Amino acid sequence: DPQPELFNNNYFYEQALYALEQDNFCDFEIQFEVTHNALHSWLGGHARYSLSSLDYTAFDPVFFLHHANTDRLWAIWQELQHYRGLPYNEADCAINQMRKPLQPFQDKKLNPRNITNIY
């Protein structure tokens, strides 16, 4: 059940190039995820047993072609980072924001014994 957007020949090419242009992992991952997910959705369409269904996506042989290409593009980005002289195997995607205790766990009324707050 392919969706019509799949046949816009330039979309995937341009989106993949845009992802590869990113010079840090966090930006690359976000842009590349857009491409990855769009292919699952657009190729699988609305069919229950298709690439767009999380429960059944790996049963479609196209899944393996798609993920082999995902790995290929990931390797290309890593080589581009090497060429750029930038790290290709580290990221701090907003890690500083993850170090702050989540609400409501830091609220003394909701968490009086401070069990879930490790800070």
Side-chain angles (χ1 to χ4, degrees):
D1 187 23
Q3 300 302 292
E5 296 90 349
L6 182 64
F7 303 104
N8 177 356
N9 295 334
N10 292 330
Y11 174 80
F12 288 106
Y13 174 77
E14 290 172 4
Q15 185 62 34
L17 285 181
Y18 185 64
L20 292 171
E21 289 173 355
Q22 306 310 307
D23 61 5
N24 72 68
F25 174 77
C26 300
D27 293 337
F28 166 76
E29 193 280 329
I30 289 168
Q31 295 306 320
F32 191 66
E33 196 71 24
V34 169
T35 308
H36 168 267
N37 293 347
L39 190 75
H40 272 278
S41 176
W42 292 352
L43 190 58
H46 302 291
R48 180 175 179 190
Y49 305 107
S50 71
L51 279 176
S52 62
S53 169
L54 189 58
D55 293 333
Y56 298 101
T57 187
F59 291 101
D60 190 325
V62 174
F63 173 86
F64 297 101
L65 294 172
H66 172 43
H67 281 261
N69 190 49
T70 297
D71 292 345
R72 182 185 71 88
L73 291 170
W74 164 241
I76 290 170
W77 184 81
Q78 289 177 312
E79 285 300 314
L80 286 170
Q81 287 297 91
H82 181 74
Y83 177 78
R84 295 172 181 140
L86 297 171
Y88 63 89
N89 60 352
E90 60 185 52
D92 69 347
C93 306
I95 195 75
N96 57 336
Q97 295 175 356
M98 293 183 220
R99 292 190 174 136
K100 296 177 184 174
L102 293 173
Q103 292 286 354
F105 303 114
Q106 65 187 14
D107 187 327
K108 297 291 184 203
K109 292 177 186 172
L110 298 173
N111 188 16
R113 294 178 29 212
N114 206 25
I115 294 171
T116 56
N117 189 351
I118 62 171
Y119 300 96

